[in-house]
Amino acid sequence: MSLEKYDWLKDIYNQINFNNLPHGIIINGPPGVGKKILAKQISKKILCNFEDKLDAQQQSLFDTDHHPDYFHLKKDKVLIHHISYRDNKWDDELGKRNVLDFLTLTPSISKNKVAVITNGETMRDDSQNTLLKSLEEPAPNTYIIILTNRPNSLKKTIYSRCQVLNIPYISPNKINEWLNDSGITDYYSTDFPSYATPLNILDDIQSDTQNSYKEFISIINQFINIKIDQGQAIKNINDLDINFISKINYFVEFLKILLKSKLTNESLSGSYKSFNSTKFSNLKISNIIVELNDLRYDFYDVSSINETHVLNYFCSELKQSIRQQ
């Protein structure tokens, strides 16, 4: 996939010194900024021995993820047996395939080999320590590219052996330009949460969930203004076609915007305009944000969670904390 449509990625790619490329590369940035696109472009450059393009055979294999010297580990959670095989572990998708065994094999049709690891921030210490051995003493002509969604989520020793490529914040104006260039003129970055990234916005539009955040704000507005009761508000939120973490993120986004408007003494506009007439305690809103962030952080460590109970609790907190003047 060409980088021509992604100026923010092209700028980073053009600054890479392929004449002195380290064996380890970390690409960091939030979901939806194009880390996989950048990783694939770098991988392609490596596989063609740092020339401009692959031959027809390799290009066809690479485009379909069947290039024998390219291994993309696409696991939601990266475990130690994905890095180095363990006799008592079997992966239904990969079988015995793993990163380190792949890298120790002689290249098949290219001079180099590349392993890309998605969701690198999910690696525990045992997985990182195992991977570190390969970064400390890399096999000739082998490269590892690790994608992370959070900065400083890996061990310092791994960072010290890798080149780190941070994808910077993409401004709303640049997102709007990109949407327009992509043929999308009905939606703007302001129609989405402030943390929304270009590819996530595109995914929302393609999956017909682009109005979810606006609908969420409308539900909260009706609830605060006593146009619907708490039970109906929770039902309406549950009916949104988004996952639980997205609902928590929406709550946090809304409260941050509300709090910021009061701290900066700036009037709200658009979907938020009606909240200019609300009264609330900065401390109470801050405490709710902290609770929501704690819940989001602990979510994957909780074996089960009753979403309706959680929504009921936070809606009650909103009701008690935000009132019309």
Side-chain angles (χ1 to χ4, degrees):
M1 183 177 290
S2 172
L3 296 183
E4 291 304 315
K5 294 183 179 180
Y6 310 92
D7 288 345
W8 64 93
L9 299 179
K10 187 168 63 175
D11 291 343
I12 296 172
Y13 181 81
N14 289 337
Q15 293 175 19
I16 298 173
N17 182 3
F18 285 101
N19 294 321
N20 187 29
L21 193 69
H23 288 270
I25 298 169
I26 296 171
I27 303 177
N28 179 70
V33 292
K35 296 189 295 295
K36 292 177 186 176
I37 296 171
L38 180 59
K40 195 148 189 178
Q41 195 70 21
I42 295 171
S43 299
K44 180 179 176 180
K45 184 81 170 181
I46 294 171
L47 290 173
C48 66
N49 196 31
F50 305 107
E51 300 296 333
D52 290 333
K53 63 180 180 178
L54 295 169
D55 61 41
Q57 178 199 15
Q58 290 199 56
Q59 184 66 57
S60 177
L61 291 169
F62 184 70
D63 288 342
T64 57
D65 275 350
H66 288 101
H67 196 295
D69 299 318
Y70 173 74
F71 178 36
H72 190 174
L73 182 62
K74 306 175 183 178
K75 288 294 180 179
D76 290 337
K77 189 171 184 179
V78 181
L79 304 174
I80 189 169
H81 63 276
H82 299 139
I83 303 299
S84 178
Y85 183 67
R86 296 295 186 265
D87 289 336
N88 61 339
K89 295 291 184 181
W90 177 266
D91 188 278
D92 291 337
E93 178 190 356
L94 298 173
K96 293 184 178 182
R97 293 188 73 207
N98 62 84
V99 172
L100 297 192
D101 282 352
F102 164 78
L103 291 173
T104 58
L105 297 174
T106 303
S108 298
I109 58 177
S110 175
K111 294 183 180 180
N112 303 309
K113 295 178 74 71
V114 186
V116 176
I117 301 173
T118 302
N119 299 318
E121 73 282 350
T122 65
M123 287 191 291
R124 292 172 21 170
D125 284 353
D126 56 355
S127 301
Q128 293 189 50
N129 288 333
T130 302
L131 184 64
L132 185 59
K133 297 175 183 178
S134 183
L135 290 170
E136 290 175 333
E137 299 178 5
N141 305 106
T142 62
Y143 298 85
I144 299 173
I145 302 176
I146 308 170
L147 312 185
T148 60
N149 294 327
R150 300 194 312 271
N152 304 316
S153 55
L154 301 174
K155 298 170 76 73
K156 291 182 179 179
T157 45
I158 288 184
Y159 284 107
S160 67
R161 287 164 175 78
C162 295
Q163 179 179 356
V164 181
L165 305 176
N166 287 307
I167 300 179
Y169 169 76
I170 304 170
S171 70
N173 286 339
K174 181 167 282 191
I175 292 177
N176 288 337
E177 290 175 8
W178 181 77
L179 288 172
N180 188 68
D181 291 342
S182 301
I184 298 169
T185 57
D186 296 337
Y187 296 96
Y188 302 92
S189 60
T190 50
D191 294 324
F192 301 85
S194 62
Y195 56 81
T197 48
L199 298 181
N200 281 349
I201 290 175
L202 185 60
D203 285 344
D204 285 347
I205 293 172
Q206 291 176 340
S207 61
D208 199 28
T209 58
Q210 68 273 13
N211 295 317
S212 294
Y213 184 64
K214 279 187 171 182
E215 291 172 4
F216 173 83
I217 296 301
S218 177
I219 294 167
I220 297 300
N221 186 16
Q222 294 175 63
F223 175 55
I224 297 299
N225 285 286
I226 323 178
K227 293 182 179 179
I228 58 174
D229 62 20
Q230 187 160 312
Q232 187 63 50
I234 292 170
K235 180 183 183 304
N236 292 349
I237 293 172
N238 277 329
D239 286 344
L240 295 175
D241 189 20
I242 55 174
N243 60 35
F244 179 65
I245 287 298
S246 293
K247 294 170 187 174
I248 296 303
N249 289 341
Y250 282 6
F251 269 109
V252 172
E253 173 78 356
F254 162 68
L255 292 173
K256 282 186 174 180
I257 288 174
L258 206 63
L259 187 59
K260 180 183 176 183
S261 72
K262 189 171 181 180
L263 293 175
T264 60
N265 200 29
E266 294 179 359
S267 295
L268 294 166
S269 59
S271 302
Y272 305 101
K273 187 174 181 180
S274 64
F275 295 101
N276 284 320
S277 60
T278 57
K279 182 179 181 181
F280 56 86
S281 161
N282 292 2
L283 180 59
K284 284 185 178 180
I285 296 299
S286 297
N287 288 339
I288 296 174
I289 293 173
V290 169
E291 286 190 84
L292 286 163
N293 283 328
D294 287 344
L295 174 64
R296 181 170 52 187
Y297 182 81
D298 295 335
F299 176 74
Y300 294 105
D301 294 328
V302 178
S303 57
S304 62
I305 189 168
N306 188 310
E307 295 185 16
T308 299
H309 287 175
V310 171
L311 293 176
N312 191 61
Y313 170 76
F314 283 110
C315 282
S316 295
E317 290 295 295
L318 285 186
K319 194 71 170 181
Q320 295 175 23
S321 305
I322 305 173
R323 299 182 183 279
Q324 288 290 335
Q325 292 186 17

